[in-house]
Amino acid sequence: MKNLLTFFTLSIISLCSTFAQTYAPSHENLKTRQQFDSDRFGIFIHWGIYSMFGQGEWYLNSGILADEYAKAASAFYPIEFDASEWTSAIKDSGAKYICFTTRHHDGFSMFGTKQSDYNIVDATPFGRDILRELSDACEADSLHLHLYYSHLDWTRPDYPMARTGRQTGRDTTAIDWPHYLEFMESQLTELLTNYGDIRAIWFDGWWDHDEDSVPFNWELDRQYKLIHSINPACLVGNNHHQVPFEGEDIQIFERDVPGENSAGYAPDGISHLPLETCQTMNGMWGYKVSDTNYKTTPELIRYLVKTAGKGANLLLNIGPQPNGKLPDAALDRLRGIGQWLRENGETIYGTTGSPFPEMPWGTATTKDNRIFLHVMNPSQQEIRLPNPGNISSVVDFTNRSPLPHQIDDRELIITLPSLDIPIDYIIEIEQ
């Protein structure tokens, strides 16, 4: 009965909180949303002391004691880290922004925080503020900077125990949610005031308490209000695998484009907010020495195109090596994507999603009075689609040559030239 009363009490509090606040994004925030929604391509960076083990970013959750794991910090010296090399390669790829992991689930902060000594400046012989250098390099290369921030922590005793990180040796008698919340808010304040123009905060970890018998109140409204009070233009996103909550500015999809659920993380619906799909180049987010199964450059380009066809951005992940270098395989993919976008970026940047239902041959993007058909899987010498109406021309996007086509009340039928399509054959329809 006590648990039941607690459940209803928390539910009422949560409900009242929802009705009490009505988030009205600022004019600056709406402008940032439009800017973000036109970018279509960003790079995710998962990097921390977990790279030292070469087993991915969840290594601490595999039965390792946090105190033993933390010893890796004293040997973390990424001597080959050069923020300008990172941003140069990322800008050359055609990406418009970087999302950097400031603090992952292992609790180690990759910036010079004053809230804990467990950070890149104070706990390592490297002693440099990675985030400061990355922020400066992003500004120099005109890249927007987004910051990943974990809601959960497998090392701090004040974080309420949940379904992950249960074997790290934490003192479970020291749980203190108000203290932990204060710690997070202090770090968020540092991130938003000490590192230049931060365009978005990208939260992760809400799902850690999704199996609690009593619903856990993360007090997200308080955190979101803090962010928007410090920087009204800053976007808030949360990788909670739910339809966006009050106060959020973008909707995140993990390992799937909007409307698909091959990874099992899809929310129940797609919102009207700007959309972003995060995906890995290989299998892991953080560096894993045995994970060399990188997707090919054509596969990644097609995924970018497919994501744009859904009206979403692609946030493509790289896990840097412990020495601070981006893996050669990742750099190779960045170069290939960049070359393709220099030739075809007009059909991706600033576009909206396909006006047609999903087609077996590919997808489409739209911009003003033009529709770009991205033919990636042709099975015949013609493609058929619903008649978009008022067609003035149908041409090969690359060489501008007219393409034979037929129009009736219901269908547009376009005859394809005889060609091999290594990545994507683009047709431009002008209306």
Side-chain angles (χ1 to χ4, degrees), residues 47 112 114 136 218 332 378 397-398 402:
W47 196 35
K114 301 299 184 186
D136 291 344
W218 283 100
D332 176 73
F397 175 75
T398 300

Side-chain angles (χ1 to χ4, degrees), residues 43 130 177 260 281 289 297 326 400 422:
I43 295 296
I130 294 284
W177 166 250
E260 296 186 2
M281 276 195 184
V289 67
T297 299
L326 302 181
R400 314 308 297 171

Side-chain angles (χ1 to χ4, degrees), residues 170-371:
R170 282 183 293 159
D171 179 4
T172 58
T173 66
I175 291 172
D176 187 344
W177 166 250
H179 187 264
Y180 182 72
L181 177 59
E182 182 181 357
F183 160 76
M184 287 199 300
E185 291 181 335
S186 296
Q187 282 207 320
L188 289 168
T189 299
E190 289 176 327
L191 291 171
L192 289 166
T193 56
N194 297 339
Y195 294 94
D197 185 17
I198 304 303
R199 195 174 68 165
I201 297 294
W202 205 101
F203 284 115
D204 191 21
W206 178 94
W207 36 260
D208 196 37
H209 281 277
D210 61 6
E211 296 180 359
D212 290 8
S213 58
V214 176
F216 184 76
N217 183 6
W218 283 100
E219 299 188 62
L220 295 179
D221 56 341
R222 173 172 156 174
Q223 298 163 52
Y224 295 173
K225 286 178 181 177
L226 172 68
I227 293 167
H228 290 135
S229 68
I230 296 172
N231 182 359
C234 186
L235 304 177
V236 172
N238 197 325
N239 188 37
H240 44 47
H241 311 145
Q242 308 289 316
V243 174
F245 302 152
E246 180 88 6
E248 295 172 9
D249 304 298
I250 62 175
Q251 184 174 5
I252 296 167
F253 299 81
E254 181 175 353
R255 293 188 184 272
D256 268 309
V257 298
E260 296 186 2
N261 192 21
S262 63
Y265 303 129
D268 293 332
I270 301 173
S271 73
H272 66 281
L273 297 174
L275 312 176
E276 180 185 73
T277 287
C278 58
Q279 182 58 273
T280 55
M281 276 195 184
N282 47 359
M284 297 294 292
W285 300 99
Y287 177 70
K288 185 175 183 179
V289 67
S290 63
D291 186 7
T292 57
N293 187 26
Y294 279 74
K295 301 169 183 68
T296 67
T297 299
E299 285 176 326
L300 292 172
I301 292 172
R302 292 191 193 105
Y303 201 87
L304 170 62
V305 170
K306 184 177 181 180
T307 306
K310 294 289 188 177
N313 290 3
L314 173 61
L315 183 61
L316 184 61
N317 184 74
I318 301 173
Q321 298 165 167
N323 64 0
K325 300 289 284 188
L326 302 181
D328 288 341
L331 291 171
D332 176 73
R333 272 58 172 183
L334 291 181
R335 284 189 291 268
I337 296 170
Q339 180 179 350
W340 188 87
L341 280 171
R342 281 189 288 276
E343 298 170 359
N344 304 289
E346 184 181 2
T347 71
I348 302 295
Y349 301 127
T351 62
T352 54
S354 175
F356 310 114
E358 195 155 345
M359 299 290 179
W361 45 262
T363 189
T365 54
T366 61
K367 182 185 292 183
D368 301 324
N369 65 332
R370 293 180 294 167
I371 302 173

Side-chain angles (χ1 to χ4, degrees), residues 49-66 68-70 72 104-106 154 165 167-168 284 286-288:
I49 60 171
Y50 45 79
S51 65
M52 296 279 289
F53 301 97
Q55 299 297 319
E57 75 289 350
W58 273 57
Y59 182 59
L60 178 55
N61 193 53
S62 62
I64 309 298
L65 292 177
E68 294 299 314
Y69 176 92
H104 208 269
H105 311 328
D106 66 349
W154 293 329
Q167 297 177 307
T168 63
M284 297 294 292
Y287 177 70
K288 185 175 183 179

Side-chain angles (χ1 to χ4, degrees), residues 298 302 375-378 380-381 396 398 416-426:
R302 292 191 193 105
V375 183
M376 296 176 283
N377 305 295
Q380 299 177 338
Q381 281 301 114
D396 180 307
T398 300
L416 299 174
S418 298
L419 45 75
D420 179 34
I421 301 178
I423 298 179
D424 179 15
Y425 178 65
I426 305 175

